[in-house]
Amino acid sequence: MLAAFKRLFATCARPLVRAWAALFFLAVAALPAAATSAHQAYEAQLPADLATAADLCARVPCIEVFPAAHSFSTRKGQPPYVDAYGAPDAAGKRALLGYVMLSTDITDTPAYSGKPVVTLIGMDTTGRYVGVRVLKHSEPILLLGIPESALVDFNNQYVGRSVTDQIEVGPSRPDENILGVDAISGATVTVVAQNQVMQLSGSAVARQVGIIEPTRRDPARWATRDTLYTWAELVKMGAVQPLRVRPQQVGLPPAPEPFIELWFGDLNHPDIGRSLLGRSGYDKLHGSLKVGESALFVIRSAGAESFKGSGFVRGGIYDRVQVKQGADSFTFRDLDSTNLYGLHAEGAPAATESAIFIIRSASFSPAYPWKLAFLGNRIDQATGHRSFAVFETRYWLPASVMDGGRPVVEEPDAPWVRIWKNRALEITLFSLLLVAVTVVYALRERLTRLSTHKNKWPVNIFKYSAWALSITFVGFGVMAQPSVTQVLTWFHSLLFQWTWSLFLSDPFIFVFWIFIIVTVFLFGRGLFCGWMCPFGSLSEALFKVARALGLKRWQKPVPQALHDRLKWLKYAIFFGLLAVSMFSMTTAEVLAEVEPFKTTFLVGVFNRPWPYGLFVAALLGLSLFIERPYCKYLCPLGASLAMPSTFRWFGLRRKQDCNSCKACAVGCGAQAIDADGRIDHRECLHCLDCMVLYTDTKGCPPLARERKRRERDGLLITPIGKDGYFIPIDAVPAISAKAAQKPDPRLPTDPVQPYPQATGSWLQTLVLEVRDHLLPWSRQGWTERRALQIAGLSLALAASVAWLMAAQGRLSAAAIIGWWFGWSVYEVLIRMNGRRYVKDGPWWQARYREAGWMDMLSYVGFKNLLIGAALFLALRATGWLTL
């Protein structure tokens, strides 16, 4: 029978697999054509001087966002905009029709890619939007899954609406005067960021030209003590703040010196002003200020870059610094500044450049929080392109220096907060579903004891319900299908730039990942992959339906020898994507199309080029005959979750007789049980069929034998204990002699005792364990593979030097990642030739077992990821290591 199936597989299944792979690569090959068929805004090359050129409309198509205009002015105002004029009349006069603005002149709000969507916006003189055009974006979802026309349609919803309208992504709420705009399915973060860009850009220009009334803030009321503060005291109380920009942040090679380091602070409070300027300097300054004017200082304490900027030389404009308060921006000309010859506060740093700036607007109040912004350009190291960049530091005088304390500030909710509020009911239901599934699975032993191999409904009623809800509500409803691209994004964010708001903008994915992380370390990947993954549930449901419809005779497991080879493919895919992402996240996003999730749930089969739909159809078609083929062999997300599953706290129960009884292994759809009855929790999908057999007195062969013996001898049929055997009533051994001579299947590998010398001392055991985590070398390794150990010692020394160079700002993040990755690979080799063991179960238990290659790869990879992330974050906190 097996030989016949192998011949059938060779003639049918293998061509299917080859066709399957061909379909995937055909879909990827079709990608460039799809990407260039729309508006070609993805990573479009913009003019190098776009951010600085006076004639904006000579470089971008302003006429497309203001079709009624006949001509345009040069850039004016701060932040910049251009006037749109109609055709001249008989007297040669041109009527002002409205304004055109470039979004990156005003805000660099990042979208999901971490880069801004460069948008050109037209607005008439009443504040109504007349046109929107995306010039450049870096959103992979709009390259790979969603056509750029969807973004065009989204932007067109703003045409005809006013800058004074309260616009939110989602349904309209007339009772709250909220106008809703339809989101793009699968691109929530992108459209939320774009909505913020539209409103910030429109309101910034509308305030300048008088469409929106200027903001009125109460003037500050000071609490004075006639005290002179030292510089250290001013820093401690927050009265002076630093703004530092590293070379890497603007795309320059790493260097120990910052690109620019500024210190700034308020000069309006009498005590603070006199501490910084001296009494005579403070009195002279405030003697020259008019009512409603405010002053602040800025000094450059390090770096060669000037905060005055090139515009100051040309036209008396400080185009590198701005002050922002709420939605208002304040810029400075030469008449708005005065010389600062030095700071009087004891301990103040030496200044290489300095100035006092005067804000001549009653809209500004030093009692309210504000930000100093340093404006510049960031060079993309890969392409050489320049993009607009803003670096900001928030400032708010302490409550102790204000009469009555700080004023109450009602700031608008962040975009992600509004999303959570608007979808609170759905998020609550989704969270309750995840909690319910976790609780049900935690009670699995009670459910499996109520089940038998002929009646699994006490388990299946919950499992099938989870599948149905996962497919309909989670997958097609709220479109919360997790993806390996999120693993890559989280990995990069952890190392380089963690932004909570980016991940909180998609609440369902955020909540789902909390569930995944918790349950993977508690139970392994199987609870998510086997119960709650929308695509996995769909694949399994099709397999079950096909069986019910009479296709069972064609549903055969992949031969175990072939399965044991194919299962490594998903790990190769995951590591390949991870490696590629370190060089190009865009390329990694393209290759991540090996996942069918986007086509199935986020975008839709009929909304993508035909190769993608055919690829999904092939996967689901194959699922009719092979149980979860994608999950077992291709899924990089499953591979990423399988690695920490090595260290799950709670596994499925095994008994000694499982090593000689094949009942569970024969029925395991995931083929995760080996010849010795051991469960590979990296492959197990937690169907719980083996747990049903574990206590089934008619289905489990060892229990059936014991039951028949007791019935024959008239003995009491006692309950099944936790060990999987009847509670004993006589001296007959529960474990068969054959099973007792074979390996213990309760551990994935044979047990090991690495610290026999540590007897009874938890402190000694802890010290030895910490030593093992940090030092992979061993006496056995030095004896058997001395050359390997010496080479590893040399590489460890080199990696340590690399960290020291990174701490000095002399090594880039990419270089240190390369060194750390190389050391991690070599550490696996060293440990496999000396310390070949890993801990099994909770970290506080001293239960060790022999490590296989994947065990060791998972252990070293996870351990060094944590150590590397800790070192990265420490270096970034000191400002030494940035991209």
Side-chain angles (χ1 to χ4, degrees):
M1 178 65 186
L2 180 61
F5 177 73
K6 287 182 177 179
R7 288 194 297 272
L8 177 64
F9 184 85
T11 57
C12 299
R14 286 180 181 174
L16 275 176
V17 172
R18 288 196 292 268
W20 182 11
L23 287 172
F24 165 65
F25 288 110
L26 182 60
V28 173
L31 176 64
T36 57
S37 63
H39 297 81
Q40 301 182 3
Y42 181 79
E43 293 293 2
Q45 185 170 354
L46 301 178
D49 62 345
L50 181 61
T52 57
D55 193 353
L56 173 67
C57 296
R59 287 157 178 78
V60 293
C62 295
I63 194 67
E64 292 189 15
V65 298
F66 215 119
H70 188 269
S71 61
F72 301 92
S73 72
T74 57
R75 270 186 170 112
K76 60 194 300 185
Q78 283 294 333
Y81 65 93
V82 301
D83 290 332
Y85 297 104
D89 58 17
K93 294 183 178 180
R94 300 177 301 169
L96 177 64
L97 302 181
Y99 317 95
V100 174
M101 65 212 77
L102 184 67
S103 64
T104 48
D105 281 345
I106 302 165
T107 175
D108 62 346
T109 301
Y112 190 76
S113 63
K115 299 179 181 179
V117 175
V118 184
T119 309
L120 197 64
I121 305 167
M123 180 177 69
D124 67 19
T125 54
T126 67
R128 294 196 175 275
Y129 297 108
V130 295
V132 185
R133 164 75 188 273
V134 172
L135 302 177
K136 177 182 179 180
H137 73 84
S138 304
E139 304 300 281
I141 185 68
L142 299 178
L143 169 72
L144 301 171
I146 301 171
E148 284 190 348
S149 59
L151 184 58
V152 173
D153 294 340
F154 173 81
N155 287 330
N156 286 340
Q157 296 178 88
Y158 291 87
V159 176
R161 297 190 174 184
S162 174
V163 70
T164 59
D165 293 334
Q166 296 184 58
I167 302 175
E168 290 187 3
V169 177
S172 296
R173 302 196 301 278
D175 54 324
E176 301 178 35
N177 294 321
I178 300 297
L179 292 178
V181 289
D182 295 331
I184 300 175
S185 297
T188 305
V189 178
T190 301
V191 296
V192 168
Q194 186 67 356
N195 180 59
Q196 189 173 4
V197 164
M198 291 293 298
Q199 297 194 76
L200 288 175
S201 300
S203 60
V205 174
R207 279 189 176 84
Q208 287 191 69
V209 299
I211 296 173
I212 297 177
E213 289 293 326
T215 308
R216 302 295 179 184
R217 298 181 178 89
D218 294 332
R221 294 180 299 169
W222 305 124
T224 59
R225 298 179 178 84
D226 197 23
T227 302
L228 294 181
Y229 300 101
T230 66
W231 182 262
E233 291 171 334
L234 292 169
V235 172
K236 184 178 181 180
M237 65 193 295
V240 294
Q241 295 282 354
L243 191 161
R244 297 185 184 91
V245 180
R246 305 292 299 181
Q248 300 94 316
Q249 292 177 274
V250 292
L252 298 177
E257 285 295 313
F259 179 72
I260 191 170
E261 179 182 79
L262 304 177
W263 286 92
F264 65 97
D266 176 83
L267 292 176
N268 301 290
H269 189 281
D271 292 348
I272 296 174
R274 291 183 179 118
S275 299
L276 291 165
L277 302 179
R279 294 185 184 274
S280 61
Y282 173 83
D283 293 340
K284 181 180 179 181
L285 171 65
H286 281 266
S288 65
L289 296 182
K290 298 178 181 178
V291 176
E293 295 181 341
S294 304
L296 65 139
F297 81 93
V298 179
I299 66 169
R300 182 184 68 189
S301 56
E305 186 66 16
S306 168
F307 67 76
K308 293 183 177 181
S310 57
F312 175 75
V313 177
R314 292 195 305 270
I317 298 174
Y318 289 91
D319 61 356
R320 291 294 182 89
V321 288
Q322 281 184 359
V323 168
K324 299 180 179 181
Q325 191 168 58
D328 297 312
S329 296
F330 305 96
T331 54
F332 308 102
R333 303 181 68 85
D334 53 352
L335 297 178
D336 301 324
S337 70
T338 184
N339 293 328
L340 174 62
Y341 296 105
L343 295 173
H344 286 238
E346 180 185 348
T352 56
E353 190 175 49
S354 60
I356 294 174
F357 291 107
I358 301 170
I359 300 176
R360 306 185 191 277
S361 172
S363 298
F364 180 84
S365 172
Y368 289 78
W370 52 276
K371 297 177 181 177
L372 179 73
F374 176 78
L375 289 68
N377 292 317
R378 181 185 291 113
I379 302 172
D380 189 317
Q381 293 182 349
T383 64
H385 294 163
R386 292 178 176 268
S387 59
F388 180 74
V390 178
F391 306 93
E392 299 175 340
T393 297
R394 190 172 187 264
Y395 184 95
W396 198 357
L397 284 168
S400 60
V401 303
M402 299 186 202
D403 186 12
R406 286 173 168 174
V408 176
V409 177
E410 295 183 5
E411 297 182 355
D413 290 333
W416 69 266
V417 174
R418 294 197 292 269
I419 294 174
W420 282 70
K421 288 181 177 179
N422 293 342
R423 308 196 70 178
L425 177 60
E426 295 168 279
I427 296 170
T428 300
L429 293 175
F430 181 60
S431 301
L432 290 176
L433 171 62
L434 299 180
V435 171
V437 169
T438 305
V439 171
V440 167
Y441 187 80
L443 300 174
R444 61 193 178 280
E445 292 191 32
R446 296 187 183 184
L447 298 176
T448 55
R449 284 176 178 268
L450 296 173
S451 307
T452 66
H453 70 292
K454 292 185 177 180
N455 178 24
K456 300 176 184 176
W457 279 105
V459 171
N460 287 348
I461 189 65
F462 292 103
K463 185 167 61 177
Y464 291 173
S465 297
W467 289 354
L469 290 170
S470 175
I471 297 168
T472 57
F473 175 58
V474 180
F476 290 109
V478 299
M479 292 182 287
Q481 169 70 65
S483 166
V484 72
T485 57
Q486 292 148 13
V487 176
L488 301 179
T489 301
W490 283 45
F491 175 76
H492 281 248
S493 297
L494 180 66
L495 294 181
F496 303 138
Q497 186 176 0
W498 182 267
T499 306
W500 277 107
S501 59
L502 176 65
F503 302 107
L504 289 167
S505 296
D506 196 332
F508 298 101
I509 290 295
F510 184 82
V511 172
F512 213 167
W513 271 105
I514 294 175
F515 165 84
I516 292 169
I517 292 170
V518 171
T519 57
V520 161
F521 283 100
L522 286 177
F523 310 118
R525 66 176 279 218
L527 183 54
F528 164 71
C529 293
W531 288 53
M532 288 306 297
C533 175
F535 190 84
S537 299
L538 179 61
S539 176
E540 181 79 358
L542 287 174
F543 183 83
K544 299 292 185 185
V545 170
R547 173 169 292 187
L549 294 178
L551 298 180
K552 182 177 180 180
R553 57 179 173 170
W554 288 292
Q555 292 179 332
K556 303 294 182 181
V558 175
Q560 191 65 39
L562 181 59
H563 166 82
D564 289 340
R565 290 175 174 82
L566 288 177
K567 70 180 182 182
W568 300 112
L569 181 58
K570 61 180 175 289
Y571 296 100
I573 294 173
F574 170 66
F575 283 116
L577 290 174
L578 183 62
V580 170
S581 74
M582 299 311 301
F583 299 95
S584 171
M585 273 295 292
T586 301
T587 304
E589 289 272 4
V590 174
L591 297 177
E593 281 296 311
V594 71
E595 290 184 326
F597 309 150
K598 193 182 301 177
T599 301
T600 306
F601 298 109
L602 300 182
V603 182
V605 173
F606 300 107
N607 296 324
R608 304 201 70 188
W610 65 266
Y612 295 98
L614 193 58
F615 179 54
V616 171
L619 288 174
L620 297 179
L622 199 58
S623 299
L624 298 173
F625 306 99
I626 300 175
E627 190 169 356
R628 291 182 180 255
Y630 177 78
C631 305
K632 292 191 288 189
Y633 306 126
L634 281 182
C635 184
L637 175 63
S640 69
L641 301 180
M643 295 180 66
S645 295
T646 303
F647 316 107
R648 85 267 166 265
W649 286 5
F650 306 107
L652 301 178
R653 292 193 180 275
R654 299 273 81 195
K655 65 186 78 172
Q656 185 69 34
D657 276 284
C658 291
N659 61 21
S660 55
C661 171
K662 308 298 181 184
C664 291
V666 170
C668 180
Q671 298 178 253
I673 303 177
D674 66 11
D676 291 323
R678 290 168 161 168
I679 298 176
D680 184 350
H681 282 83
R682 287 186 293 267
E683 302 300 318
C684 176
L685 298 177
H686 292 192
C687 67
L688 297 184
D689 285 356
C690 63
M691 286 289 288
V692 170
L693 280 178
Y694 185 75
T695 55
D696 186 354
T697 58
K698 294 183 179 179
C700 177
L703 293 182
R705 288 195 300 269
E706 175 64 9
R707 176 183 56 79
K708 291 176 181 178
R709 183 186 76 85
R710 293 191 181 192
E711 289 176 344
R712 184 185 65 245
D713 296 342
L715 300 174
L716 177 67
I717 304 296
T718 57
I720 307 298
K722 288 187 175 182
D723 62 355
Y725 295 101
F726 287 102
I727 295 175
I729 57 173
D730 53 28
V732 177
I735 302 172
S736 66
K738 178 181 178 182
Q741 297 174 359
K742 299 188 72 176
D744 186 346
R746 288 170 291 188
L747 283 176
T749 53
D750 293 335
V752 172
Q753 177 53 264
Y755 313 128
Q757 70 275 29
T759 56
S761 172
W762 66 267
L763 181 59
Q764 184 181 9
T765 303
L766 179 62
V767 170
L768 291 171
E769 184 174 343
V770 171
R771 180 204 65 184
D772 267 13
H773 287 318
L774 300 178
L775 303 175
W777 300 277
S778 65
R779 183 176 302 174
Q780 177 185 349
W782 283 105
T783 302
E784 298 177 359
R785 303 292 297 273
R786 181 168 298 179
L788 178 68
Q789 304 283 324
I790 293 175
L793 188 61
S794 302
L795 187 58
L797 181 61
S800 300
V801 171
W803 279 110
L804 292 174
M805 293 176 65
Q808 297 173 359
R810 297 164 57 192
L811 201 65
S812 67
I816 189 61
I817 289 173
W819 276 104
W820 199 234
F821 180 79
W823 159 246
S824 299
V825 171
Y826 216 83
E827 184 179 351
V828 172
L829 301 177
I830 296 171
R831 288 184 179 275
M832 291 298 287
N833 288 276
R835 301 192 189 279
R836 191 169 183 164
Y837 51 81
V838 294
K839 183 175 284 191
D840 191 81
W843 63 270
W844 60 82
Q845 294 181 358
R847 187 169 68 172
Y848 294 85
R849 60 180 178 84
E850 184 179 337
W853 281 100
M854 183 51 67
D855 294 326
M856 190 60 71
L857 186 63
S858 300
Y859 162 71
V860 172
F862 187 68
K863 171 182 71 75
N864 285 356
L865 174 63
L866 293 180
I867 294 175
L871 290 172
F872 259 91
L873 294 176
L875 291 177
R876 281 184 58 83
T878 60
W880 287 335
L881 182 66
T882 53
L883 280 182

